[in-house]
Each structure stands twice: as C-alpha cells, then as structure tokens.
Amino acid sequence: MSRARADEEEYWHSSKFRAFTFDDEDDELSQLKESKRAVNSLRDIVDDDDDDLERVSWSGEPVGSISWSIKETASSSTSSLEGRESSLQKGSSSYAAFPKQVSSYSLSSLFKGEVLHIQYGQMALSDTGVKNYAPELRRPKAEYKDYSSDWSPKDTVRRMQRGKVCSLERFRSLQDKLMLLDEAVAGHDGNVITAVLIFLKRTLRREILFRELEVRQVALCHLIHFLKETGEQKLLLDLLRLCFFSLSLQLSQYREHLNIQDVEKRREFLKGCVGLPFSAEDTSHIQDHYTLLERQIIIEANDRHLETAGQSEIFRKYPRKASILNMPLVTTLFYSCFYHYTEAEGTFSSPTNLKKTFKIPDKQYVLTALAARAKLRAWDDVDALFTTKNWLGYTKRKAPIGFHRVVDILQRNNAPVQVLQEYVRLVEDVETRLNLATKYKCHDVVIETYRDLKDRIQLTAYKCKVERGSAEEEKINSVLNNTVRSAT
C-alpha cells in the first residue's frame, strides 16, 4: 500500500497539470511564472507547434491541438448531425472525440472577424459577423440626449413642457438656477414652474430663495399655492410673513414722497423708488408717476414764463388758477387740451404726446378733450374730434363714447341748441334720441323723429308743448297737413 501511495504522489507531482490546493504557494512570483508559461503556450498554439504540449479534451483525454479541432470541425460539418444523433441515442454525457488531422487554421484567424458557433454540442466555423446574429440591443442615439447634461435652461424648459425626462441637478450655480426659473416663468407652464420651484426649494437656502422670489411675483404665487396644497404650513407662514413685511416696507418707503415739498427732491426720490422690488404692474405705475412729474416740471416752467411775459392770448383770456405740479394724469391731460391743444406732437405739453407716452385709452382721451374744448366753446374742435374720413374721402362722425354722452357733456358746458340738435340727431336709438331731444328742448329733432315714425298722435300731443305761433308749431302743422294730403 505504501508503494502504491508513493507512486501516486510521484505521478501527481511529476505531471504537467497540478491539482488545486489551498497552499500559500500562489504568491506573486508563482503567478508571474504561471502567466509567462501561459503566454509561451499561447505562442506555441498560434505557431501550430503541437509537439511540446499535451492537449486534453473536455473529459481530460489527450487529443490534437485546438487548430486541429477547428479544422476537424469544419471538415466534418456534414457528419456532425449524425454524430449528435448517435450520441443522444446512447445517452452519452461527453463530447465525441475528434480525429486528429493537420489543420490549416490557426488561432490568429479567430481575431480576423471569424466566429466559432456552438450548435447542439458541435463547433462550426463561420465568417459572419457577430452583429448579424447578436445585434446591439441599445436605445437610439437620439434617446440618449434625454439624459444629457448639456441642455441650456431654455432647452431644458422646452423638453419639460414636452414631457421629456430632464435632470435639473446640473444647474448648480445660483445664476443658472435663476435663469432656469425665469425661462420656466416665460414659458407660462404651471407644471414646469412648480417643478423648478421644488428643485430650488430643495437646493437653495430659504433666505436666498425668498429674496429672489420677491422680484418674481409669478413664481412667488406658484410657490404659495404649492405650499398650500402640500400643507407645509411653517414654510408657508414664513414666506407670507416675509412677503407682507417686504411689501409694507416698500409701500411705506414709497409714501415718503408725499412728505417731500421740494419738487426736484421729490422727482429724485421717485426715481429711486423705481428700483424697489415691486411687482411688474406696480413698477410700471411708479415709472409713470416719475415720468409725469418730470413732464409737469417742464410744462410748469414754460407756462409760467409765458403767463408772466403775457405773450400768449389764451393765458391772458383764461389765467391759470393753480399749478400743474403734482396733479393727476387726467388733470394734466385736461390742462394740456385747454392750453396746448393745437401744439405739435413733438412737444412735451402736446395732448397727443401725453396720450402716446402714457398710453391713455381713446375713450378717456375723447372725454377729456371734449370737456376742455367745450369749456372754451371751440365747437369746430369738437366737430373735428368726432369727424373721420375713410379711404374714399367721405367724412363720417363717430364717437367711441357714444353720442348720448357727447350731448350730456355739451349741455353741461352750455352748448347752443343748434349744436345740441346736431349731435342729438346722431344718437341711433330712437327712444334715447326722443328722450334727449325732449329733455333739452330740441324741438326740431322731436318733430323729425315723429314724422319719420308717422306717429300723428304723438306729434299732435307734442304740439301742445311748444309755444303758440312759434316756428316749431308751424312746422308741426305743415307735417300734419302733408300727411293728410298724402293719405288722400
């Protein structure tokens, strides 16, 4: 027994193949030797030198070289199916042995695009590329852009609006985050604005976020609504408290201009208020306030000089009762229509210049100009205010405020009956026209309206309201007689 055991040990230690052990011999030096030996063996395989190294099959039996196995597989492809069937019938669990032949193939041919396919336990050589049998299972290149980190804030907002997946983590600086928020607000998409606000709320300190939202009222309203929906009461209260305090501070600072008596100092103060973090609408009002005061200062200085020098007839005939400084816009427009109605648009005191600068609506402008010119009894200017000319050259009267209001304003300014009747006739509604004509004693309009309606009863009744022997009574009799003759 000891002899047999010694022979067995000698066999294992003398073999070129070593059994696996748990010894500590697998150090770096031994690994280096094994790697060198493997490289030398590979070189021998490629050079088709099969004499120095014994080859074994999958079952451990010595067979030919690998290149021989490849050659044998390629040459015996026609008989591989028979061998497979016979092996399956015998229930063999091992691969069939390959006869040893000289191979014209080398391992280097495998690196030239050739692939070795295993089908039913047999190996066959093919020149077909891998991608024909195993195509790349990956997304189209366009879809990889969804996860790209190179999108600008504008592109990111556009993709979010289309429902694409976009990572906001790449926006790390405060400037990039604010640009992203501004682009979201400009896109007018509430979902995108809310998504960006959630990202900012998570990545910015509360003080910085609240400070930036003070000048972005749209985003501020979205965040307040979002906090209400999610029930984050503490953050909501802090935000509302800060907004209320900031607004109160801004309003109190703006009210300080009322305590400044010097006009120049007030103008400079209002100029500084334009930069306060108000909403866009409030900022526009403050800007108009500053511009109006600046315009009033120029007009006041010029008109005071003209009035003192006595060079203007209108100032001599209608002296100014008060200064134009610090007056509302409508009062300034009335003043301009009263004293500077005929001036060119290029001057600061021109009514059309004021209308264009402050974007005064047509109705407001017509009402103010009508009141100013009617007070001066400038009826030609009143007619020109409502007369328009079409592209064919025909004139037509049109009032954006309605001719019934024109009649009321003219009557309050003591317009003559002839002027009132002219505009009462332009009232389209018959009932309104009759009421105005009766109220302001425009007899001709009443008689003409009843005549057009062929209402003898009302015309006869109205005859009792005019003076006997007047021109109106004669006109009514003429209309009644003409209707009788036409009836007969």
Side-chain angles (χ1 to χ4, degrees), residues 89 112 116 165 213 255 294 369 380 439 451 467 479:
Q89 292 175 359
K112 297 180 180 179
L116 189 67
V165 178
L213 290 180
R255 290 193 190 99
E294 190 176 35
D380 293 338
K439 180 180 179 181
R451 180 196 62 192
E467 296 181 1
V479 172

Side-chain angles (χ1 to χ4, degrees), residues 53 111 123-124 185 206 213 237 371 381 407 410 421 426 487:
L53 186 63
F111 300 97
M123 292 186 294
V185 173
R206 180 179 302 181
L213 290 180
L237 290 176
D381 293 339
V407 172
L410 292 177
Q421 288 187 151
L426 297 174

Side-chain angles (χ1 to χ4, degrees), residues 295 298-307 311-315 320 332-356 365 373 376 381:
R295 184 73 57 87
I298 298 174
I299 297 174
E300 176 66 22
N302 184 52
D303 289 355
R304 186 185 298 113
H305 173 73
L306 293 176
E307 187 177 22
Q311 299 176 359
S312 178
E313 181 182 356
I314 191 170
F315 285 111
R320 298 191 309 160
T332 306
L333 179 61
F334 181 88
Y335 177 92
S336 179
C337 291
F338 193 91
Y339 289 105
H340 305 279
Y341 188 74
T342 58
E343 290 186 4
E345 184 179 346
T347 59
F348 285 142
S349 55
S350 170
T352 54
N353 190 304
L354 289 173
K355 179 178 182 295
K356 183 178 180 180
Y365 178 79
R373 303 318 293 174
L376 289 172
D381 293 339

Side-chain angles (χ1 to χ4, degrees), residues 199-385:
F199 169 68
L200 296 183
K201 185 173 72 72
R202 181 170 54 86
T203 58
L204 289 179
R205 288 191 302 172
R206 180 179 302 181
E207 297 79 8
I208 298 177
L209 178 61
F210 289 176
R211 181 192 67 195
E212 297 298 335
L213 290 180
E214 287 181 13
V215 295
R216 295 171 173 85
Q217 296 296 317
V218 176
L220 178 62
C221 294
H222 276 270
L223 182 58
I224 292 175
H225 181 74
F226 172 75
L227 295 178
K228 289 181 180 179
E229 292 292 330
T230 56
E232 300 182 51
Q233 297 296 332
K234 186 176 184 304
L235 184 60
L236 178 61
L237 290 176
D238 293 341
L239 180 60
L240 293 177
R241 188 180 299 111
L242 178 63
C243 294
F244 178 78
F245 173 76
S246 177
L247 182 60
S248 300
L249 181 63
Q250 296 162 17
L251 291 176
S252 62
Q253 185 174 355
Y254 174 66
R255 290 193 190 99
E256 286 296 323
H257 79 276
L258 299 175
N259 301 326
I260 303 175
Q261 300 299 327
D262 185 81
V263 180
E264 291 294 337
K265 292 183 179 179
R266 178 180 290 192
R267 182 177 65 87
E268 292 298 325
F269 181 82
L270 288 175
K271 185 177 181 180
C273 290
V274 175
L276 293 177
F278 285 102
S279 64
E281 184 178 2
D282 293 339
T283 302
S284 177
H285 291 328
I286 297 175
Q287 178 66 50
D288 289 343
H289 189 178
Y290 165 73
T291 305
L292 179 61
L293 181 58
E294 190 176 35
R295 184 73 57 87
Q296 288 173 347
I297 293 174
I298 298 174
I299 297 174
E300 176 66 22
N302 184 52
D303 289 355
R304 186 185 298 113
H305 173 73
L306 293 176
E307 187 177 22
T308 303
Q311 299 176 359
S312 178
E313 181 182 356
I314 191 170
F315 285 111
R316 292 196 305 267
K317 189 175 181 179
Y318 301 98
R320 298 191 309 160
K321 297 181 180 180
S323 172
I324 194 62
L325 295 175
N326 300 317
M327 291 296 176
L329 177 60
V330 176
T331 306
T332 306
L333 179 61
F334 181 88
Y335 177 92
S336 179
C337 291
F338 193 91
Y339 289 105
H340 305 279
Y341 188 74
T342 58
E343 290 186 4
E345 184 179 346
T347 59
F348 285 142
S349 55
S350 170
T352 54
N353 190 304
L354 289 173
K355 179 178 182 295
K356 183 178 180 180
T357 301
F358 298 99
K359 300 178 182 178
I360 300 174
D362 291 338
K363 290 185 177 181
Q364 184 64 59
Y365 178 79
V366 170
L367 280 172
T368 308
L370 175 62
R373 303 318 293 174
K375 192 174 186 63
L376 289 172
R377 305 182 70 83
W379 310 121
D380 293 338
D381 293 339
V382 173
D383 291 340
L385 193 61

